[in-house]
Amino acid sequence: MRRNRFRELLDAGEPSLGTHLMSSLPAVFEIVGHCGFDYVEFEVEYSPFTLYDLENMGRAVDLFDDMSSVVKIDQQPRTFLASKILGAGLQNLLFADVRTADDARECVGAVRAESPSSGGHHGVGSYRNIGYVVGPAGDEYVKMLDEAVVILMIEKKEAVENLDEILSVKGVDMVQFGPGDYSMSIGVAGQYDHPEVWRAYKHTVEMAHKRGIAARAEISRVEHAQRYLDLGMRHFTIGTDYFILYNWWKENSAAMREIIANA
């Protein structure tokens, strides 16, 4: 069974660092693997992809023993996507648009094995994560599903209102607050630093830590980290490939046009 670096760090109480990709090219996953991240996160919720792409992403990640993977998936169809993603060998899941404890239970159940010890509803299949037809899905398979890190997005007004019940669901490993969706859900769309949004962010983190559940921050620049460190957060993702490319191209195209115009 392949080691799950993200799970190891979480269980050891150690910090973790990931980055986001919206490109499904395996080459980009390999490039990230050379850069020292603990995991790479693919944004299924926002990105075009095929089921074949998922397996090739898994193969690229497998080249790096010290790097794991996370996939962010849409609110529906959760069970289908969880099965295909985990079966492709991508190890951990971030579920978007959770609103209630029932949603949280559905997310956890889609990941954990349907066994007496795990209580989920993830079954057996001839997937890449067990070598297709190489061997049966035995205790190691159940353990692999138990070790998958389940992250929930807390990004709706309803989710914050139901936060205590959501965090009480067994098997929730981590939460991430989503200021974009939350600001929209309370009528201040796009105002990420609105006082009500920041209050909800802090409340989510404090409640999670009180429950012994990790909270993760999503940032775009290193200098943004401190406000989240001050909240006791030690799990981060930084950067997204599309935005990194956009910012580089925009900055350097403007600089080069000025140089050419003044030549």
Side-chain angles (χ1 to χ4, degrees), residues 2-260:
R2 189 176 191 275
R3 67 185 293 217
N4 188 335
R5 173 67 172 163
F6 193 19
R7 167 59 70 181
E8 290 174 354
L9 292 170
L10 188 61
D11 287 352
E14 297 292 331
S16 65
L17 180 64
T19 190
H20 306 94
L21 293 181
M22 292 172 67
S23 168
S24 60
L25 287 173
V28 184
F29 283 74
E30 285 193 46
I31 291 168
V32 172
H34 291 295
C35 295
F37 287 97
D38 299 310
Y39 61 90
V40 58
E41 178 181 316
F42 179 61
E43 309 297 280
V44 154
E45 187 184 15
Y46 312 126
S47 307
F49 71 99
T50 69
L51 298 182
Y52 295 107
D53 290 328
L54 295 176
E55 292 201 354
N56 288 328
M57 293 173 202
R59 293 184 180 101
V61 174
D62 283 356
L63 296 173
F64 303 92
D65 188 52
D66 287 332
M67 187 174 75
S68 184
S69 53
V70 174
V71 180
K72 183 179 183 182
I73 64 175
D74 307 78
Q75 60 183 309
Q76 293 297 341
R78 287 172 175 147
T79 301
F80 172 80
L81 289 170
S83 174
K84 296 305 180 185
I85 290 162
L86 293 171
L90 299 162
Q91 294 175 302
N92 310 289
L93 289 175
L94 170 61
F95 291 90
D97 301 307
V98 171
R99 293 173 176 83
T100 67
D102 284 342
D103 287 343
R105 279 187 282 271
E106 181 185 6
C107 295
V108 173
V111 174
R112 306 294 182 226
E114 189 163 340
S115 71
S117 62
S118 302
H121 51 255
H122 193 109
V124 174
S126 299
Y127 298 127
R128 179 178 176 271
N129 62 352
I130 58 168
Y132 302 106
V133 296
V134 172
D139 290 341
E140 286 285 290
Y141 180 71
V142 174
K143 184 174 185 288
M144 176 175 58
L145 295 176
D146 282 345
E147 290 187 353
V149 177
V150 175
I151 316 168
L152 304 183
M153 291 297 303
I154 304 299
E155 55 186 343
K156 307 295 185 182
K157 181 176 184 288
E158 189 178 356
V160 174
E161 292 170 349
N162 294 321
L163 186 59
D164 189 53
E165 293 84 358
I166 290 170
L167 296 176
S168 298
V169 173
K170 182 180 179 182
V172 175
D173 296 303
M174 182 178 284
V175 295
Q176 178 174 307
F177 186 80
D181 274 35
Y182 185 78
S183 66
M184 183 184 297
S185 75
I186 64 169
V188 292
Q191 299 180 46
Y192 293 7
D193 288 325
H194 190 282
E196 287 298 320
V197 176
W198 184 241
R199 271 194 288 271
Y201 199 129
K202 291 178 66 178
H203 174 67
T204 299
V205 173
E206 289 165 1
M207 287 288 291
H209 287 169
K210 184 179 178 180
R211 290 274 187 176
I213 295 172
R216 189 181 78 161
E218 184 178 86
I219 63 175
S220 58
R221 301 179 66 86
V222 171
E223 54 266 31
H224 297 164
Q226 191 58 52
R227 73 186 305 196
Y228 305 103
L229 291 168
D230 291 343
L231 292 179
M233 303 174 77
R234 295 296 180 269
H235 300 280
F236 288 87
T237 56
I238 183 168
T240 303
D241 52 355
Y242 281 15
F243 294 102
I244 293 167
L245 290 171
Y246 169 78
N247 289 329
W248 191 93
W249 281 327
K250 187 172 180 63
E251 177 184 343
N252 285 279
S253 67
M256 281 304 301
R257 285 199 177 279
E258 184 176 353
I259 290 170
I260 292 168

